[in-house]
Amino acid sequence: GNSVTQMEGPVTLSEEAFLTINCTYTATGYPSLFWYVQYPGEGLQLLLKATKADDKGSNKGFEATYRKETTSFHLEKGSVQVSDSAVYFCALSGDKIIFGKGTRLHILP
Amino acid sequence: DTAVSQTPKYLVTQMGNDKSIKCEQNLGHDTMYWYKQDSKKFLKIMFSYNNKELIINETVPNRFSPKSPDKAHLNLHINSLELGDSAVYFCASSQDTVTSANEQFFGPGTRLTVL
């Protein structure tokens, strides 16, 4: 069946550091891929998505590229801020949406 | 305007009690979901309804029963609460079924604590 694997956290970085959160998937067919973000005390909200191979999703300085050859959808940001501290979920859609286990990100000022 | 709302936000109750969580969306979406998030932030889908019809029913104890009176509402009733039911429960909605890659909109969550 379909599955999503993302790097375990927590990830702790200093402000303005470069961020990568790895996400790989296994799936039949051609799923869409998503990154959701959950800020403390809130529900998840969509950060970005890509619906086909080589698509790049981007939002709020975050980017992720749908790589079919490596079955990956890694999340990157060039310069993180304290306000980016949250839990990040990689997800894919097939017959139902499947979420990764989440990666907690701490940004230190 | 709140897109997906849940009540209550916090729920503290004794083992063995019956409780309900309500969810409403004002986005005009056809599909609604219930998720359970444990203390490690792992998110698990429980149920999904499309136009008031149940379409996803994961392996969830029979004590959990969703009810959708109309497509804007999806309530979750839990009988005979157990300690292991303590978690944050999220309601979500999307335009239609997930295979069309539509974004899911989440409510703020209901933190259930069973004592």
Side-chain angles (χ1 to χ4, degrees), chain A residues 31-33 50-56 66:
Chain A
S32 294
L33 301 173
T51 57
K52 61 182 187 295
D54 300 325
D55 267 3
K56 177 187 284 188
Y66 190 160

Side-chain angles (χ1 to χ4, degrees), chain B residues 22-90:
Chain B
K22 295 186 176 182
C23 178
E24 176 182 2
Q25 55 95 4
N26 63 6
L27 298 167
H29 287 166
D30 288 340
T31 306
M32 296 184 72
Y33 312 82
W34 276 110
Y35 289 89
K36 178 180 180 181
Q37 186 175 47
D38 64 23
S39 58
K40 296 183 178 180
K41 300 296 186 181
F42 182 61
L43 198 66
K44 179 181 176 183
I45 190 166
M46 301 173 69
F47 301 103
S48 173
Y49 270 72
N50 181 261
N51 271 323
K52 301 192 298 174
E53 299 285 333
L54 180 66
I55 56 172
I56 292 176
N57 184 354
E58 292 297 299
T59 307
V60 176
N62 290 338
R63 300 182 293 103
F64 290 79
S65 53
K67 286 192 170 44
S68 182
D70 55 62
K71 74 174 192 177
H73 296 84
L74 180 61
N75 303 324
L76 183 65
H77 188 76
I78 315 170
N79 290 326
S80 303
L81 279 155
E82 300 177 356
L83 293 176
D85 298 332
S86 296
V88 181
Y89 292 83
F90 286 100

Side-chain angles (χ1 to χ4, degrees), chain A residues 32 36 38 49 94 96-97, chain B residues 35 37 58 99 101 104 106:
Chain A
S32 294
Y36 281 80
Q38 183 179 25
K49 73 176 183 182
K96 61 185 177 187
I97 191 165
Chain B
Y35 289 89
Q37 186 175 47
E58 292 297 299
T99 50
Q104 290 196 14
F106 282 77

Side-chain angles (χ1 to χ4, degrees), chain A residues 15-30:
Chain A
E15 204 166 23
E16 299 184 3
F18 184 86
L19 169 72
T20 300
I21 301 178
N22 290 338
C23 173
T24 56
Y25 68 91
T26 57
T28 55
Y30 302 95

